[in-house]
Amino acid sequence: MKNKIFLSSMLIMSVAPAFAEDFPSNGLMTENKTYTNAATSTNMDGVYEGTVNAVAEYDIIDYIVNAGQYLPADSETVITCPAGSYCPGISGNVQYNQTTAQGIQTCPSGFGSSAAGASSNTQCYRACDINNMGENGSISSIAHATAISGNDYYGSGTDTCEPTACENGWHVKAAVTAPNLTNIIGVSERANGHTSNDSTGADSDTDNMSNTIIANDPMAFAVDYGTKGIIKGHGRCSTRNVANPWEDNNNTFESDHFVSNLTDETGTGKNCYCQLDSYTTAGGDTTALSAPWVFRNAEDGADDCADDCTDVCALSLQSGYSSALAFRAAVFGSIESSPAMCEANTITINWSNADAADVTANNAGTATYGSDVRTPVKAQTIKGKTFKGWRFSKPTQTTTGN
C-alpha cells in the first residue's frame, strides 16, 4: 500500500508544470506554466464559479514572396517557382492560404516552357520553329535561314533562335562572343607595330612586321600589339559625311560616327572609315569580329582618301597621342557579340585573259553571293580578235576513281 502511495505521488509530481510565475498583466497565458494563486475572478474575466473559457489567440504570420518564388497552397514555406510557370513576386506581405497558391502564374498559351525561378512571362518560351516565327510576339524571320534552333521567348523576351541551315549561296556563320579588347589590349599604350595595304594592294610596312595576314587584300590593315595580339581591319572611303567630326569636338564620338553598312566603295568619297575584322591572340587563335565602320577623318579629296585611309586607320590604332587613343577606345568599344547568322558565300572568280594587276585594281577576284560583280580594268588584247565580254561558266567537275 505504501508503494502505491509512493508511485501515485511520483505521477503527480511528473505532470506538474515545470514553471510557476505570476499571472501576466496582459492576460495572455503561455504554454506549460503554473500561475500562482491566479484562479480569481479578476483574472478569469469576472467568473466566480461554474465555467470559464480560455480562448487561444494567435498572431498571423506574414510571408515575403520575392520575384522567382511563390507560396504553395497549404504551405508555410516560400519556394522557387517551378519550370513551366513564372512568379513575378508579391508586393507586401502574404498570409497562409489552405487552398490557393499565391504568387505563381501559368506561362502564356503556346509558350509553356520556362526555367525554374522565372519571374516574368518574357522568360516563358517555345522551341524556335521556322514555320511560326513572327507569331504571338516572337522574333521575325532569320534572313536566308532554312532551319533554326534555340528558344523563342514570349513578348519582349530575348530570343536565342539561330540558323542551322541556310539557302543556297549562304552558309551558317557561327555566333561570335566579342573579346573585350579594351581590357585585353588597353587604350593607353602605344602599340608595337603596324602594317597596312593601300588601295592598289601594295604593302606598306612600318615596323618590319610580317605582311602575311593581309597579303593581296586591298585596303586591309593590321596592328601588332606584341604579346597582346594582333587586330586586322579595313579602311574605306565614302561620301557619307558626319555632322560633328570627333577631332573638332574634344575627341567626343557621337552616334553618327558609327555605321553598320557603308555602301560606297573606295574612290567614291573623301571620308575615311575604319572597321575591325578580326583579333588574333599571341598564340595564334583568331576570332572574327562584329564591328561597325567608324569615321576617322575627311581627306582633301577622294584620291587622297584612297591613298591614305588604311594607313591612317592603322596609325590611329597604333599611336599613343591623345586623339589616337580616343579613336582606339571608340573602335574597341564598338565591337559587339553577334548571334549565328546566314552569311553570303564568297565566290572566287577566275578571269580568263585578264592580267592579275587589272583584276586586283578593281578588287574583281571575288564576289559576295547576291552582291556586286566587279570586272577587271580591261581584257588582254588578242591579235585578230575584238573583245566582246566575259561570260560565267561553271568549272568542270573532276572525279577520281575508287
Side-chain angles (χ1 to χ4, degrees):
M1 188 66 176
K2 288 182 180 179
N3 287 337
K4 290 182 180 181
I5 294 173
F6 175 77
L7 291 174
S8 176
S9 299
M10 288 296 293
L11 180 62
I12 292 172
M13 291 175 64
S14 66
V15 298
F19 304 99
E21 58 186 60
D22 293 336
F23 194 78
S25 60
N26 63 3
L28 287 174
M29 298 171 288
T30 56
E31 299 167 315
N32 197 31
K33 293 287 192 303
T34 295
Y35 294 106
T36 305
N37 300 324
T40 67
S41 62
T42 300
N43 295 333
M44 294 183 174
D45 198 26
V47 175
Y48 289 89
E49 59 183 348
T51 302
V52 64
N53 297 325
V55 180
E57 295 183 12
Y58 294 86
D59 283 329
I60 295 175
I61 299 174
D62 291 325
Y63 300 93
I64 297 174
V65 180
N66 295 317
Q69 299 178 321
Y70 81 109
L71 182 63
D74 195 27
S75 174
E76 297 178 278
T77 303
V78 175
I79 63 175
T80 300
C81 195
S85 302
Y86 68 98
C87 303
I90 300 176
S91 177
N93 295 320
V94 180
Q95 285 83 43
Y96 166 89
N97 190 299
Q98 185 176 10
T99 59
T100 304
Q102 299 172 85
I104 187 170
Q105 301 288 332
T106 301
C107 278
S109 176
F111 294 79
S113 299
S114 71
S119 59
S120 167
N121 61 5
T122 58
Q123 295 173 276
C124 297
Y125 64 89
R126 62 185 178 184
C128 296
D129 183 347
I130 201 165
N131 296 314
N132 64 13
M133 294 171 68
E135 299 176 358
N136 300 321
S138 66
I139 65 170
S140 351
S141 61
I142 298 175
H144 307 290
T146 57
I148 57 176
S149 65
N151 294 330
D152 177 11
Y153 286 82
Y154 181 77
S156 60
T158 302
D159 301 301
T160 59
C161 299
E162 295 183 332
T164 55
C166 302
E167 299 170 355
N168 290 336
W170 303 76
H171 64 275
V172 176
K173 179 183 177 182
V176 175
T177 300
N180 190 329
L181 297 187
T182 301
N183 290 339
I184 296 171
I185 295 174
V187 292
S188 61
E189 299 178 2
R190 185 185 183 280
N192 292 329
H194 88 278
T195 183
S196 65
N197 283 17
D198 63 19
S199 59
T200 64
D203 292 335
S204 170
D205 191 356
T206 298
D207 288 327
N208 299 316
M209 185 180 120
S210 170
N211 292 320
T212 304
I213 63 172
I214 58 169
N216 302 315
D217 189 355
M219 298 298 290
F221 65 83
V223 178
D224 183 359
Y225 298 94
T227 58
K228 296 179 180 180
I230 298 172
I231 57 171
K232 177 185 174 182
H234 284 82
R236 176 172 287 184
C237 298
S238 174
T239 57
R240 181 182 183 274
N241 295 311
V242 298
N244 194 14
W246 58 276
E247 285 191 294
D248 298 334
N249 191 28
N250 297 318
N251 296 333
T252 300
F253 286 78
E254 299 176 353
S255 59
D256 71 339
H257 292 82
F258 307 89
V259 59
S260 297
N261 297 305
L262 195 64
T263 56
D264 292 345
E265 292 292 338
T266 296
T268 63
K270 66 176 185 178
N271 298 298
C272 175
Y273 287 80
C274 311
Q275 182 184 56
L276 295 188
D277 300 327
S278 65
Y279 165 69
T280 302
T281 66
D285 296 325
T286 298
T287 300
L289 302 178
S290 177
W293 292 97
V294 183
F295 173 78
R296 174 57 185 87
N297 67 297
E299 297 285 352
D300 291 335
D303 290 342
D304 290 333
C305 184
D307 290 338
D308 299 336
C309 185
T310 50
D311 282 334
V312 171
C313 290
L315 283 168
S316 298
L317 292 167
Q318 172 199 9
S319 302
Y321 55 92
S322 60
S323 62
L325 294 176
F327 180 75
R328 190 196 303 185
V331 171
F332 285 1
S334 69
I335 300 170
E336 299 177 346
S337 296
S338 64
M341 64 184 68
C342 289
E343 183 178 58
N345 296 337
T346 298
I347 300 171
T348 299
I349 304 176
N350 297 317
W351 298 97
S352 66
N353 299 98
D355 293 335
D358 290 328
V359 174
T360 301
N362 278 358
N363 197 20
T366 61
T368 301
Y369 188 83
S371 188
D372 298 338
V373 173
R374 296 173 295 276
T375 63
V377 173
K378 63 181 184 297
Q380 294 171 345
T381 299
I382 307 296
K383 290 182 179 180
K385 295 183 179 181
T386 300
F387 176 70
K388 295 168 56 178
W390 289 279
R391 187 190 306 276
F392 284 125
S393 175
K394 184 186 297 184
T396 303
Q397 300 292 324
T398 58
T399 58
T400 59
N402 294 327

